[in-house]
Amino acid sequence: MRSPLENFRLQSPLHLPDQLHHFATLGERVGEKTESQGDKEAMQARFPKTYGQPCIEFEPGKRESHASLRVGVVLSGGQAPGGHNVILGLFQALKELHGESHLYGFEGGPAGVVEGNFSELTLEVLEGYRNMGGFDLLGSGRTKIETQEQLEAAKKHVEALELDGLVVIGGDDSNTNAALLAEYFLGHGCKTKVVGVPKTIDGDLKNTYVEQPFGFDTACRVYAEMIGNIARDALSAKKYTHFIRLMGRSASHITLECALQTQPNVTLIGEEVAAKGWTLTAITDYLAAVIRKRAEAGKKYGVILLPEGLIEFIPEMRLLITELNSLKVSGNNIEALSREGKATFESLPESIQRQLFYDRDPHGNVQVSHIATEQLLSHLIAKQCSDFHPVHHFFGYEGRSAMPSNFDATYCYALGFAAAGLIDGGHSGYMGVVRHLAEAVEKWEIAGIPLTMLMNLEERKGRLKPVIQKTLVDLECEPFRYLEAHRKEWEIEDHYRSPGPIQFVGPPHLCDATTLTLKLEQSPSLCT
Ligand code: FBP
């Protein structure tokens, strides 16, 4: 039986930007030729058919008729709130273009495209997922499509279904898959156009053209609510120091946004740690100093935020992890480590040593995102601070499948239209985007950007591969500067801020606004 809120959200109408009220009549404006982020010649050689395509903008036009379309869709990578609404938007847009259009969902992520697992999606089915979190309509997966066999198998299935388009909803890896599929299909006489949609709670698939991937807003709101509650509890009980590790495989965008939302006593940003070369000792000394200073002020409590990816930004930990990965060190054979690696390893608590040795992924690599960095830090701090009572938290999966905020619900619906518009225009190797996200929904506009424009070559397992660049936190950006300007004050004074639960109904400034990160980046005056 559904909850009252689920029933309410299932019936809540989805809004569209003004531009999309006349979607089927939109015309296109084609921009200049584009370049990749780097390795231009090598990228051009690897993507002879799709490299350098122009950006596509949509504008009011006079188009009247469209052919029916057959389109497939796949959810890829980690869950992110709003994925179901992208599919709903895509379905709605295809039907507006032509009532006889069909949408097929590939199941279990990219593997579903390679293995040909699909079912037709009808409005009746989709309506049961409107505004719902999770990816359970189709499931998801992290299969990389890169071998000739996989590409050929995918081609066989999209051709059997006579697909005009395939929409890949995913993050950097998934959109790299989309770019490879687009190039392969075009180069092998397959008519299926491939279009990506930017998803990831991590927030690291963003740039001048992708203002914010979907899911980031909702996930940060869920975490910020919990952090706000914990801060209130700390302030009330006055006896615990809370260490809160936040998801984000590599980049610290989630931690930065949550810090802006909740104003904790200390926020560690992985990118800053790397830029300043802070060692584990330097971080421990800094945290211990703040904890002691607070204790002297009668505050034996506090809230500390750290990102999941922190551990890999700490120089000596990065070295140790690299050695463990490349040596495939196992059991208790630490003799294979370098002198530095061994010294770092021996300084770690036993629980972390065990994680480093035994918690490996299928390729034998250390599962960095599973390492309890919050416990490691509090263990080291305890050696310097007496009367210190840490409580540990990890917030990650709690936010990935939450009911999408109004922002993500609407954004995703519009992204579905962007993907449909690109396929209808015959564009392949593109990402559908929505622009002006910090403004009111009415002003948002859809566009298409070529995937190769987001790519460069990076080393993966010893070989150079074309990939979409992850965007890390820029230490010169407004959001980080804001944190920098306020963090000293937040260390000792308690300026905790409680954003509270996600609101679906009420005044727009409570319900529809998006992240402080985006507002600070686009329009700092909106943050007052
Ligand atoms: P995507 O990049 O695919 O969106 O996934 C991000 C993420 O949620 C990370 O924040 C986290 O480290 C990782 O997925 C966890 O993945 P898994 O689901 O395999 O545990």
Side-chain angles (χ1 to χ4, degrees):
M1 195 174 68
R2 291 193 178 114
S3 72
L5 187 62
E6 279 176 316
N7 282 327
F8 174 72
R9 291 303 286 159
L10 281 168
Q11 285 150 24
S12 299
L14 285 160
H15 302 291
L16 280 175
D18 285 350
Q19 184 203 40
L20 298 181
H21 289 155
H22 309 285
F23 175 62
T25 67
L26 286 181
E28 285 180 8
R29 197 167 50 243
V30 175
E32 302 287 306
K33 204 173 159 344
T34 59
E35 299 274 19
S36 60
Q37 291 296 306
D39 313 292
K40 294 178 184 159
E41 279 170 23
M43 285 292 300
Q44 189 154 20
R46 288 180 190 231
F47 292 88
K49 298 281 179 197
T50 52
Y51 184 85
Q53 300 188 94
C55 291
I56 306 290
E57 301 200 13
F58 292 85
E59 56 185 8
K62 293 200 169 48
R63 288 192 66 175
E64 271 157 21
S65 68
H66 297 263
S68 66
L69 293 168
R70 297 170 64 83
V71 174
V73 62
V74 59
L75 290 161
S76 183
Q79 285 68 249
H84 292 142
N85 280 18
V86 178
I87 302 178
L88 209 61
L90 178 61
F91 182 89
Q92 195 60 44
L94 292 173
K95 290 290 181 188
E96 278 187 32
L97 292 172
H98 195 289
E100 292 301 312
S101 293
H102 291 269
L103 181 62
Y104 299 89
F106 286 97
E107 288 155 22
V113 183
V114 175
E115 290 159 14
N117 293 330
F118 65 87
S119 57
E120 179 158 7
L121 298 172
T122 60
L123 187 60
E124 202 187 351
V125 170
L126 290 175
E127 282 294 359
Y129 291 86
R130 172 202 288 248
N131 292 322
M132 292 296 109
F135 278 3
D136 45 312
L137 168 64
L138 298 175
S140 187
R142 291 192 186 277
T143 303
K144 284 200 169 56
I145 302 183
E146 42 192 6
T147 66
Q148 177 74 21
E149 293 72 30
Q150 287 172 315
L151 290 163
E152 196 48 41
K155 176 172 165 285
K156 189 181 96 190
H157 296 304
V158 299
E159 282 182 338
L161 266 173
E162 295 179 38
L163 294 186
D164 298 291
L166 173 66
V167 177
V168 179
I169 302 174
D172 53 337
D173 281 344
S174 315
N175 277 286
T176 298
N177 275 345
L180 293 170
L181 283 169
E183 181 67 30
Y184 190 83
F185 290 172
L186 264 174
H188 291 78
C190 169
K191 70 167 183 174
T192 311
K193 313 291 181 240
V194 187
V195 168
V197 171
K199 166 240 72 165
T200 178
I201 63 157
D202 290 4
D204 56 10
L205 178 48
K206 70 173 199 173
N207 47 56
T208 321
Y209 314 93
V210 184
E211 298 176 7
Q212 183 170 284
F214 81 77
F216 178 69
D217 178 79
T218 309
C220 289
R221 278 173 199 277
V222 172
Y223 306 142
E225 179 199 352
M226 296 193 288
I227 297 164
N229 295 349
I230 285 173
R232 255 316 134 138
D233 198 82
L235 202 55
S236 313
K238 300 197 189 312
K239 58 180 179 181
Y240 297 127
T241 301
H242 293 271
F243 286 77
I244 307 172
R245 177 165 54 107
L246 292 156
M247 217 176 221
R249 174 64 192 82
S250 202
S252 310
H253 297 291
I254 292 179
T255 301
L256 178 56
E257 171 64 19
C258 289
L260 300 175
Q261 290 287 353
T262 61
Q263 305 183 173
N265 302 111
V266 180
T267 305
L268 295 173
I269 297 295
E271 291 81 344
E272 183 184 24
V273 166
K276 296 185 174 160
W278 287 348
T279 60
L280 200 50
T281 312
I283 297 171
T284 311
D285 290 350
Y286 162 56
L287 292 175
V290 174
I291 289 165
R292 279 196 303 268
K293 223 171 355 157
R294 288 183 58 81
E296 280 158 25
K299 299 178 179 184
K300 292 185 181 174
Y301 59 89
V303 179
I304 296 170
L305 301 190
L306 53 131
E308 180 181 77
L310 176 69
I311 192 114
E312 275 193 303
F313 285 108
I314 303 172
E316 70 270 38
M317 289 303 296
R318 179 185 276 272
L319 178 84
L320 173 61
I321 292 164
T322 310
E323 285 188 8
L324 288 170
N325 286 345
S326 65
L327 295 170
K328 299 283 178 274
V329 178
S330 62
N332 55 5
N333 174 23
I334 60 165
E335 295 314 317
L337 295 173
S338 68
R339 199 158 54 85
E340 294 85 348
K342 197 171 158 195
T344 307
F345 185 82
E346 285 175 342
S347 71
L348 302 174
E350 231 182 281
S351 58
I352 303 290
Q353 290 182 343
R354 265 201 309 276
Q355 269 182 323
L356 287 169
F357 268 147
Y358 301 114
D359 202 353
R360 300 298 177 96
D361 69 14
H363 307 287
N365 293 323
V366 173
Q367 301 251 54
V368 178
S369 62
H370 289 188
I371 296 174
T373 324
E374 67 285 12
Q375 293 182 25
L376 167 62
L377 291 176
S378 75
H379 169 91
L380 298 173
I381 292 166
K383 294 183 179 170
Q384 297 191 36
C385 298
S386 55
D387 202 11
F388 155 67
H389 303 284
V391 179
H392 305 120
H393 312 263
F394 169 53
F395 296 158
Y397 300 100
E398 296 84 343
R400 288 205 318 190
S401 287
M403 267 186 219
S405 61
N406 283 356
F407 172 85
D408 271 331
T410 314
Y411 175 31
C412 288
Y413 195 54
L415 280 169
F417 277 73
L422 288 167
I423 290 170
D424 183 54
H427 305 291
S428 194
Y430 275 79
M431 178 181 280
V433 299
V434 179
R435 303 181 320 167
H436 316 305
L437 292 175
E439 295 186 36
V441 171
E442 296 76 54
K443 297 190 177 159
W444 294 0
E445 285 177 357
I446 60 168
I449 54 166
L451 287 165
T452 54
M453 190 183 179
L454 308 178
M455 300 175 80
N456 66 355
L457 295 182
E458 288 179 20
E459 202 181 303
R460 294 283 191 276
K461 294 184 200 147
R463 293 177 61 193
L464 279 179
K465 295 258 166 110
V467 292
I468 293 187
Q469 268 187 342
K470 266 194 202 306
T471 303
L472 301 182
V473 169
D474 173 5
L475 303 184
E476 297 301 321
C477 72
E478 260 331 296
F480 182 76
R481 281 175 197 244
Y482 188 92
L483 172 71
E484 231 184 358
H486 293 84
R487 56 166 34 155
K488 264 276 151 255
E489 183 190 333
W490 297 349
E491 266 176 18
I492 303 298
E493 303 298 324
D494 295 333
H495 286 303
Y496 303 139
R497 185 172 180 269
S498 242
I502 293 177
Q503 303 292 308
F504 296 111
V505 181
H509 74 283
L510 284 185
C511 299
D512 301 339
T514 184
T515 56
L516 287 173
T517 302
L518 192 65
K519 286 184 189 166
L520 282 164
E521 280 169 353
Q522 291 195 0
S523 181
S525 62
L526 290 174
C527 294
T528 51

